[in-house]
Every structure is written in C-alpha cells, then in structure tokens.
C-alpha cells in the first residue's frame, strides 16, 4: 500500500471514487486544540480528529505524555469518524504532517491497510488551488473493527537494548537530544546510544517528504540497514518526546523502504523512570546514570 498521496492525486480520487475518509489532525504541543482552525477551513468531507483525546491514552507520568490509546477507545473514535472496514483513509494537518502521522501509525497498527498521508498537508492542497470548506457537519457512524499489533513497537527495555546493539533514532530537535534544554520532560538528554535524526530533516522546503531515495540515503548515513531476511522483525527503532513525531520518522523510514519499530513511551516515559540512565551531548554517548528530575511542566 502507498504511504503518501499528493494533493492532485487526492483530488482525482475524490472525483473518481470511491471517496476516502479524510481525517484532519491539526494539533500543536501545548494547544490550543485544532478544532477552531478546522471549522475555519478544511478539506471537503474531512472529519476533525483530536490528538490529545482520541489518539492518546492518559496515565501516570511513567507511561509517557501520549501513551497509546486502548484499542476499544481507538475503535470507538474511529467509528465516530465514520470509518468502515475496507475504507481508504487520508490524514493531514497543517504542520508538515507531524501530528497527522500519529493517526497514520495508529490506524496502520490497528489493521487498517490503506492509510495515506496527504503529502505537504493543508498547504499543498491550497497551493493547488483546491477548495476548502468551513463549519462542521455530523458524520454517520462507521462500523470498522480494529485489531492490535500490525506494526512493531518497543518498550523501554527493548529501546535500551536496540540503542546498544542496533540503531535507535531520536527524532527530537538537536538541542533537546543534546540536553541543552528540556522545556517539557523532567530530565534532559537522550537514551544512551541513540542517534539524533530530527524529523525536520525528512521534509523539503515546502513541507513535503523528500524522495524515497533521498530519505534512504539520509537514514543509511545514520547507520540504518535493511534486515537480512524478511522475517527478522524490523530494521530500526525510533522515539521522540512523547511518541507523536516519532510516528513522522516512522513514515519517512517506511517511504525509504525500511521497517521501523516505534517506542511509544519515548523520552517522556524514559525521563520519568529514575533508574534509566541519560546521555547528553551531540554524540550517542554512554549513560551518566540516574539523575534527579527537574520541575519541568508536563503538557
């Protein structure tokens, strides 16, 4: 199945049919929610999806800031978006697909086969002169049935092992990876052995994904290699602050032809586990041992 769809390709699909279910996943860390922006203008037929309430669970700090939602909750939300079994789903946002990728990953992981990101998001749609509509219309309930576990995931132990014995990518900005600053989570730095690969490097100046060849070259330069055999599981692990933009890195790795494993708890979980070591600086580094949590504000 294809991972990306262009604005022109989506417009053609809407005319030729069958029409896909379109999900608008506008969200920014710290808010406000994107529903107001959605109501001001969205793709025709799109349904608004709230990342914080529909694409994440809620638990203790040691679960991370955006733990995966319970399958029953995700299925109820997906039915509320009007999804039925066999639907093609297109997701987008207005932030380079940094938040829409979370919906892509969750739905793919839950067994929805044909989920695509609108390459370039809302900006690409508008750049083609295609229409947007205002307001919000009721959506007939769908009947989709979801099942967990279609994509590989990592817990903290597996992430630590992969950072030591394989390749674990940290998708956060370089200053957070280095530990120069940490505005959200209680400790600064990165998982020892993880390699920094900020998500911004996946996109061109127009907010579209780089070509598959360019993405493959990027990740190969960071040490990512394909599995020796199809049954080996996955090629590379990825995490970020709370598991949201790590899904964007997973998209880029998928486009590049690799099979990524996502660490959903990501740094927000790791930093709240006091026995987990932390590395700082520009290199993958060795752990410095447990450190005292700061009083950073949680979102």
């Amino acid at each position: 199945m294809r991972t990306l769809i262009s604005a022109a390709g989506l417009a053609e699909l809407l005319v030729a049919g069958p029409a896909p279910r379109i999900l608008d996943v506008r969200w920014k860390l710290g808010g406000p929610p994107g529903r107001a922006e959605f109501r001001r203008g969205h793709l025709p037929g799109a349904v608004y999806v709230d990342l914080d309430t529909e694409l994440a669970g809620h638990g203790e700090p040691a679960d991370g800031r955006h733990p995966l939602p319970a399958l029953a909750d995700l299925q109820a939300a997906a039915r509320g978006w009007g999804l039925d079994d066999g639907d093609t789903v297109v997701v987008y946002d207005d932030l380079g697909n940094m938040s829409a990728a979370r919906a892509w990953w969750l739905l793919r992981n839950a067994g929805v086969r044909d989920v695509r990101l609108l390459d370039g998001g809302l900006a690409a749609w508008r750049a083609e002169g295609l229409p947007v509509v205002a307001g919000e219309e009721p959506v007939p309930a769908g009947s989709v049935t979801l099942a967990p576990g279609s994509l590989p995931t990592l817990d903290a132990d597996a992430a630590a092992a992969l950072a030591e014995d394989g390749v674990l990518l940290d998708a956060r900005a370089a200053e957070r990876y280095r530990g120069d600053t940490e505005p959200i989570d209680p400790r600064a730095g990165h998982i020892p052995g993880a390699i920094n690969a900020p998500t911004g490097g996946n996109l061109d100046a127009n907010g579209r994904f780089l070509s598959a060849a360019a993405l493959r070259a990027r990740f190969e330069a960071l040490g990512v290699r394909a599995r020796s055999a199809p049954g080996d599981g996955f090629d590379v692990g990825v995490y970020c602050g709370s598991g949201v933009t790590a899904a964007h890195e997973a998209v880029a790795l998928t486009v590049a032809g690799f099979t990524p494993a996502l660490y959903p708890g990501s740094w927000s979980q790791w930093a709240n586990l006091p026995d987990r070591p932390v590395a700082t600086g520009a290199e993958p580094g060795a752990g410095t041992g447990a450190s005292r949590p700061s009083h950073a504000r949680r979102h």
Side-chain angles (χ1 to χ4, degrees):
M1 291 293 179
R2 290 181 293 172
T3 302
L4 305 176
I5 188 170
S6 68
L10 176 56
E12 292 175 5
L13 189 58
L14 289 171
V15 171
R21 174 59 63 194
I22 303 175
L23 305 181
D24 183 310
V25 198
R26 275 180 268 186
W27 172 86
K28 292 179 177 62
L29 182 63
R35 190 179 292 275
E37 291 296 323
F38 171 83
R39 288 171 174 161
R40 280 192 279 270
H42 56 267
L43 270 64
V47 178
Y48 178 70
V49 174
D50 188 297
L51 188 148
D52 281 319
T53 63
E54 296 181 299
L55 301 182
H58 301 279
E60 298 300 318
D63 296 325
R65 283 182 284 114
H66 290 107
L68 300 184
L71 182 67
D73 293 338
L74 181 61
Q75 180 173 279
R79 290 179 176 182
W81 309 328
L83 265 63
D84 292 313
D85 291 327
D87 279 352
T88 293
V89 183
V90 175
V91 294
Y92 75 93
D93 60 32
D94 61 352
L95 196 64
N97 281 315
M98 294 291 179
S99 54
R102 171 75 168 200
W104 175 89
W105 189 91
L106 282 171
L107 290 172
R108 286 287 311 278
N109 184 55
V112 180
R113 287 180 52 79
D114 193 2
V115 189
R116 311 182 201 181
L117 283 173
L118 174 58
D119 198 16
L122 183 60
W125 182 264
R126 285 177 163 153
E128 292 285 340
L130 295 165
V132 296
V133 296
E136 189 167 4
E137 298 295 326
V139 180
S143 59
V144 69
T145 300
L146 303 181
S150 292
L151 300 179
T153 58
L154 306 171
D155 60 13
D157 287 337
L162 187 63
E164 181 176 349
D165 299 328
V167 178
L168 179 68
L169 300 181
D170 183 319
R172 296 174 300 160
E175 61 270 19
R176 289 185 68 191
Y177 171 86
R178 292 192 303 263
D180 298 346
T181 182
E182 182 45 69
I184 305 167
D185 295 314
R187 293 190 288 168
H190 59 267
I191 296 173
I195 298 167
N196 194 209
T199 50
N202 299 327
L203 303 176
D204 66 17
N206 295 313
R208 294 177 174 86
F209 280 89
L210 301 176
S211 69
L215 287 170
R216 192 170 187 87
R218 181 192 189 211
F219 293 123
E220 285 181 340
L222 295 170
V224 181
R225 297 292 183 268
R227 294 164 292 169
S228 59
D232 287 347
F234 57 86
D235 306 314
V236 57
V238 61
Y239 75 96
C240 61
S242 67
V244 174
T245 54
H248 190 278
E249 196 99 304
V251 170
L253 285 158
T254 301
V255 171
F258 297 111
T259 299
L262 182 76
Y263 173 24
S266 284
W267 185 251
S268 61
Q269 179 182 61
W270 188 277
N272 277 289
L273 300 173
D275 60 329
R276 296 289 177 178
V278 170
T280 57
E283 299 299 324
T288 58
S291 61
R292 184 183 300 276
S294 70
H295 295 288
R297 182 165 56 97
R298 289 183 77 243
H299 290 272

